[in-house]
Each structure stands twice: as structure tokens, then as C-alpha cells.
């Protein structure tokens, strides 16, 4: 099987090019096509000689993620459902980091990345594990989530203007639904293909139509792009949270390799400190991560401050007990000197009473950790409920009054099923 081009480091590509007798600047050109222009075909790499493109195509795959569905919540959060080359489905969620000044759309974005198809850890409250675990994502599938989300985000922004000009019925319908306060599926696979075809047709016939070109992520780029196109081509996502479907540290090698590529100046260019890995508590891999040179951030999904509560919610606690987890976190802290975050999902009648807050505060102080409280996001078919707001606030106050830095998350994108695995679950249930 051919390796994928987006799993290659700069050094590997340079070695390959050297062995082919190609000048090294060709490797730089190739990397620019992949990570700056985000092209999806070899043919789009117009400044590479045709023979080199052919050789690359024979040696590597250039797989991209196919969009199955995209949903947008009122707060701007977008959820993408991707189909992988083998037909498996995974999700990524794009969150606007902060509203920019003067009513312009936010230009800082965080992408929530999935690391596995399904999940083997079976946390009792989570949708991702309901269908079991299928496989790890490959390096290129991890890297591609960033590029594909940016492609579609840029296309969506330009696409709104296109449909205004051309008056596309489908887009008009979805805008109408949005205006009425409903969440709508902005792009269906069919409308995407149609807009791609329209973009290509207008290019072939020489019609000057830059908005529809910008609306089509795979259309070849003009040699001298306009300022707007350049904006769309620069990195849109500057924060990564590895908190989508799956357990990141159970796909350790692929994840770390993908993060090296996304972090490298020649690749994604996303700062290591802007990358947060979330784990359900794999103690040995937390220690391994502590020994990595890359300065990524770590979040631990705690959800229970005693073995009893934690084992009830998270079967992984039977393998790596709270004591082992805390010891691994202390090792991480000692090695990295960096603050950890503890995630704590608030579930009514399970982990929200004052005694839980007391225990959690003790652990957080011991680990010098910040606590992120997340009101439980209901999953169809699961029995758990979120506590009322008064109970959420009381829990927050109980932590803060004990000197713990804590935040209560108003989670984004609730109406688009933005919690892990929920869109995939819904789509698979509808399909079958
Ligand atoms: N496996 C990793 C990352 C994926 S889950 C981990 O466990 O950290 C990302 C976060 O969302 C975790 O803290 C997880 O416990 C939480 N989560 C999962 N389902 C949720 C739900 N229905 N409501 C709120 N948070 C949820």
C-alpha cells in the first residue's frame, strides 16, 4: 500500500526528492501546496513539472476527507461529519474562539479533532463508545481534519455570497430556516457537488467568477490570487483540542506524528502550546507524553473524584485507578512544569453534591490543576441528566471558595449535537 503524502515529514520528502535527483526547493513547493493552498489533487500543483507530479502520484496517495454533512449552530460552531476512504465516519467541530471587533466574524478558530473511529473505553455517558471501537485514524486522517475543515469553512463563507448572487434555492431555504431560529444543514453533499460543478464549468468556459471559484475548495487557484483568496488560504485554525471521537492516547504514535506535522513551520504551523490533548486517564501514556519534547497541553477527563464514582462512569478506572492516574499526573507536572486541566462533567445525582466538590478540590489543589466543569450534554438512549443551573453554580462556588481555579462551560453547539460522537451516532441510526 502506498503511503499518504500528508503523513510525510519535510525531512522524509527531502530525502525522497534527493533520491530522485530533484532540487530541494521542489519539496518546499509541494509542502506549500499541501499546507498553505490545501489543494486536493496533484494536478492543482501547477508549478511542479508534470513528470514529478506523475511520480508523486505513483508513490503516494493524496487522500482527502469527504464531507457527509455540515451543521452550524447559532453561535457559529460548525460540525463536520467526514467519510474516510474506507467508508468509516468521523467528526470534527470548529469553534470560533472569540468574536472579533466591529462585528467582523472571528478570525481565530479552534478545531476539535477525532482520533479513532468509535472508542473502546465505553464511558457510560458518552456517545462515542456506543458503537464500539473500529480503528485508529491514520496520521494523514488526523492532519486532513484541519485542512478539510479550513477548506469548507472558507468555502462556506464565500458560498453565502455566491448563493446571494445566484439565488440558489437550497441555500436560500437553509438561510430562511436559520432566520427562523432553526439549526440548518448548510451544505448537503449534493449541493456541494453542484457548486463544485458550477465552479469548474465557469472556469472552463472562461467566465470570470471568482466567488464561485472560492466556493469550490478543489478548484485550481489563480496564479495571482486576490487578497480575499489569500486570506482564505492562510491558516484559519490556530488552536487544536484533541477531544473528538476516540481516546487520543490509545492512538499515541499516529497522533504524535500528526501533531509534529501540524506544529512544524513547514506544515500546519500551529503552536504546540495551542494544542490540547484530552485523555480518559491512560496513566502509562500520560507518563510517555511527559517525556516528549513537544510542549502540548494536557487535559484529564476526571468526572469522578473517588474510585467509586469514577469506576461507575468510566470503566477505564478499573484498569488505571485514581491513585495511578494522579501519580501519572504528578509525574507529568514534575517533568513539564505545566498546569493540567481536569475536565468534570456534571451529572445530576451522580457527582454533583458538596462531598464531591470537596474531594475534587483536594485533587485539583494537589495537582495544581484548573477545573473545567461541563454540564452533561444529554445523549439519546442514555439515562443521565444534567443538574439544574443552581446546582451547577453551587458546585463551581464550592471549588472556587477552596482556592481552585475553575470554570463552568456553557458548551457550544448543543443544538447540533456537538458532544463527541453524537452526529455520527445520529447519522448511523438514521441510515440503518
Ligand atoms: N477520550 C478523550 C477525548 C474525547 S471526549 C477523553 O475522554 O478525554 C472529550 C470530552 O467530552 C471528555 O471530557 C468527555 O468525557 C466529554 N464528554 C463525552 N460525552 C459527553 C457528554 N454527553 N456531555 C458532556 N461531556 C461529554
Amino acid at each position: 500500500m502506498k503511503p499518504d503524502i500528508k503523513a510525510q515529514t519535510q525531512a522524509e520528502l527531502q530525502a525522497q526528492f534527493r533520491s530522485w535527483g530533484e532540487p530541494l526547493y521542489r519539496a518546499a513547493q509541494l509542502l506549500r501546496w499541501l499546507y498553505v493552498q490545501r489543494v486536493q489533487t496533484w494536478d492543482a500543483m501547477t508549478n511542479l513539472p508534470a513528470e514529478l507530479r506523475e511520480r508523486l502520484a505513483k508513490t503516494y496517495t493524496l487522500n482527502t476527507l469527504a464531507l457527509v454533512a455540515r451543521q452550524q449552530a447559532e453561535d457559529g460552531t460548525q460540525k463536520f461529519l467526514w467519510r474516510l476512504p474506507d467508508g468509516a465516519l468521523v467528526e470534527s467541530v470548529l469553534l470560533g474562539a472569540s468574536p472579533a471587533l466591529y462585528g467582523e466574524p472571528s478570525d481565530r478558530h479552534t478545531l476539535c479533532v477525532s482520533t479513532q473511529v468509535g472508542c473502546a473505553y465505553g464511558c457510560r455517558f458518552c456517545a462515542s463508545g456506543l458503537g464500539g471501537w473500529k480503528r485508529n485514524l491514520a496520521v494523514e486522517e488526523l492532519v486532513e481534519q484541519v485542512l478539510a475543515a479550513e477548506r469548507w469553512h472558507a468555502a462556506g463563507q464565500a458560498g453565502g455570497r455566491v448563493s446571494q448572487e445566484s439565488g440558489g434555492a437550497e441555500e436560500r431555504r437553509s438561510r430562511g430556516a436559520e432566520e427562523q431560529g432553526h439549526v440548518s444543514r448548510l451544505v448537503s453533499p449534493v449541493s456541494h457537488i453542484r457548486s463544485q460543478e458550477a465552479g469548474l464549468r465557469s472556469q472552463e468556459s472562461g467566465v470570470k467568477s471568482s466567488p464561485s471559484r472560492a466556493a469550490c475548495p478543489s478548484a485550481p487557484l489563480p496564479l495571482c490570487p486576490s487578497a480575499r483568496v489569500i486570506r482564505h488560504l492562510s491558516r484559519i485554525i490556530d488552536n487544536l483540542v484533541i477531544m473528538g471521537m476516540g481516546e487520543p492516547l490509545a492512538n499515541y504514535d499516529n497522533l504524535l506524528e500528526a501533531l509534529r506535522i501540524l506544529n512544524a513551520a513547514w506544515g500546519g504551523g500551529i503552536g504546540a502550546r495551542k494544542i490540547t490533548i484530552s485523555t480518559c486517564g491512560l496513566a502509562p501514556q500520560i507518563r510517555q507524553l511527559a517525556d516528549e519534547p513537544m510542549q502540548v497541553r494536557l487535559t484529564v477527563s476526571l468526572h469522578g473524584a473517588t474510585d467509586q464514582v469514577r469506576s461507575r462512569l468510566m470503566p477505564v478506572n478499573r484498569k488505571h485507578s485514581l491513585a495511578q492516574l494522579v501519580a501519572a499526573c504528578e509525574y507529568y507536572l514534575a517533568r513539564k512544569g505545566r498546569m493540567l486541566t481536569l475536565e468534570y462533567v456534571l451529572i445530576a445525582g451522580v457527582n454533583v453534591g458538596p462531598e464531591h466538590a470537596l474531594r475534587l478540590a483536594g485533587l485539583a489543589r494537589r495537582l495544581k490543576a484548573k477545573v473545567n466543569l461541563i454540564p452533561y450534554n444529554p445523549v439519546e438512549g442514555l439515562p443521565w441528566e444534567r443538574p439544574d443551573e443552581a446546582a451547577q453554580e453551587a458546585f463551581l462556588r464550592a471549588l472556587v471558595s477552596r482556592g481552585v481555579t475553575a470554570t463552568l462551560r456553557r458548551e457550544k453547539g448543543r443544538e447540533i449535537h456537538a458532544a463527541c460522537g453524537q452526529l455520527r451516532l445520529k447519522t448511523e441510526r438514521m441510515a440503518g
Side-chain angles (χ1 to χ4, degrees):
M1 218 176 72
K2 289 192 270 189
D4 196 88
I5 195 75
K6 274 173 256 170
Q8 309 303 307
T9 63
Q10 183 185 44
E12 285 164 344
L13 286 174
Q14 286 176 340
Q16 179 70 276
F17 277 40
R18 210 176 283 120
S19 78
W20 288 344
E22 291 286 348
L24 285 191
Y25 70 84
R26 292 284 184 217
Q29 286 176 322
L30 169 62
L31 289 168
R32 218 181 132 69
W33 284 115
L34 294 175
Y35 296 106
V36 181
Q37 314 273 33
R38 302 185 289 261
V39 299
Q40 301 183 84
T41 63
W42 301 110
D43 281 345
M45 304 181 184
T46 47
N47 61 357
L48 298 185
E51 317 83 73
L52 176 58
R53 278 185 262 156
E54 250 169 59
R55 198 161 201 185
L56 284 165
K58 276 193 192 126
T59 315
Y60 302 102
T61 55
L62 175 54
N63 287 337
T64 51
L65 301 182
L67 186 72
V68 177
R70 177 165 68 152
Q71 296 179 323
Q72 183 155 347
E74 275 169 34
D75 64 9
T77 301
Q78 293 175 72
K79 184 158 196 163
F80 302 93
L81 183 67
W82 311 115
R83 193 182 306 283
L84 305 176
D86 66 350
L89 300 176
V90 290
E91 305 168 2
S92 315
V93 180
L94 184 63
L95 309 110
S98 59
L101 295 173
Y102 311 119
E104 280 283 304
S106 166
D107 56 359
R108 291 178 57 238
H109 288 86
T110 297
L111 188 74
C112 181
V113 174
S114 290
T115 51
Q116 300 182 310
V117 181
C119 184
Y121 289 86
C123 296
R124 301 283 182 236
F125 50 85
C126 179
S128 292
L130 289 178
W133 176 85
K134 298 213 172 67
R135 68 173 174 90
N136 282 335
L137 294 193
V139 174
E140 64 274 16
E141 291 168 335
L142 294 162
V143 171
E144 222 328 84
Q145 285 178 60
V146 172
L147 302 175
E150 289 191 342
R151 243 178 245 133
W152 279 102
H153 177 71
Q157 289 200 325
R161 281 193 291 273
V162 175
S163 69
Q164 245 160 16
E165 285 156 23
S166 63
E170 195 157 344
E171 290 275 344
R172 259 208 317 273
R173 265 203 305 281
S174 65
R175 268 208 309 280
E178 262 183 298
E179 278 152 19
Q180 289 158 28
H182 297 303
V183 176
S184 59
R185 187 172 288 191
L186 283 185
V187 181
S188 71
V190 178
S191 69
H192 163 51
I193 292 162
R194 273 199 221 119
S195 74
Q196 272 197 334
E197 284 172 351
L200 289 174
R201 264 200 309 277
S202 65
Q203 278 198 324
E204 278 162 14
S205 59
V207 178
K208 200 164 169 279
S209 168
S210 54
S212 54
R213 183 171 21 226
C216 167
S218 64
L221 295 158
L223 283 177
C224 181
S226 69
R228 210 184 82 221
V229 174
I230 288 177
R231 226 196 96 205
H232 283 150
L233 295 180
S234 59
R235 189 87 308 127
I236 295 166
I237 292 162
D238 58 3
N239 272 285
L240 295 181
V241 289
I242 317 301
M243 295 188 183
M245 206 188 292
E247 168 48 41
L249 297 186
N251 187 11
Y252 191 95
D253 292 342
N254 288 353
L255 176 65
L256 266 284
E257 186 64 6
L259 293 183
R260 282 181 210 110
I261 292 171
L262 287 167
N263 170 238
W266 51 261
I270 299 173
R273 282 153 209 252
K274 302 285 186 82
I275 301 173
T276 303
I277 299 177
S278 180
T279 177
C280 66
L282 303 192
Q285 287 91 328
I286 291 175
R287 289 173 183 272
Q288 200 180 341
L289 192 65
D291 294 331
E292 294 282 346
M294 206 176 3
Q295 291 291 342
V296 292
R297 292 176 187 271
L298 180 66
T299 288
V300 175
S301 297
L302 199 67
H303 309 332
T306 60
D307 274 319
Q308 195 199 13
V309 178
R310 205 163 185 270
S311 294
R312 180 176 171 203
L313 293 175
M314 305 174 76
V316 67
N317 195 67
R318 302 205 183 103
K319 187 154 186 218
H320 307 292
S321 69
L322 201 52
Q324 287 166 340
L325 176 59
V326 169
C329 289
E330 282 177 328
Y331 179 76
Y332 183 90
L333 204 65
R335 292 283 296 175
K336 289 275 188 230
R338 299 191 63 80
M339 204 196 222
L340 287 164
T341 302
L342 300 176
E343 297 255 309
Y344 195 91
V345 174
L346 295 169
I347 305 179
V350 175
N351 63 358
V352 197
E355 70 283 11
H356 299 277
L358 186 68
R359 293 258 190 178
L360 177 58
L363 280 179
R365 279 211 307 265
R366 182 168 159 195
L367 294 172
K368 299 186 182 64
K370 181 184 157 230
V371 176
N372 241 348
L373 300 174
I374 318 162
Y376 176 63
N377 204 357
V379 175
E380 220 182 290
L382 296 184
W384 318 98
E385 281 170 22
R386 66 166 51 185
D388 61 30
E389 277 178 29
Q392 296 173 22
E393 296 291 344
F395 197 86
L396 175 67
R397 276 198 308 276
L399 295 180
V400 173
S401 70
R402 290 181 173 90
V404 175
T405 307
T407 53
L408 175 61
R409 193 151 86 196
R410 274 197 68 252
E411 95 283 34
K412 296 190 171 189
R414 184 177 178 202
E415 70 272 36
I416 58 168
H417 308 278
C420 318
Q422 291 195 50
L423 179 62
R424 167 178 164 265
L425 191 68
K426 202 166 152 246
T427 307
E428 286 181 346
R429 278 182 182 164
M430 271 169 12

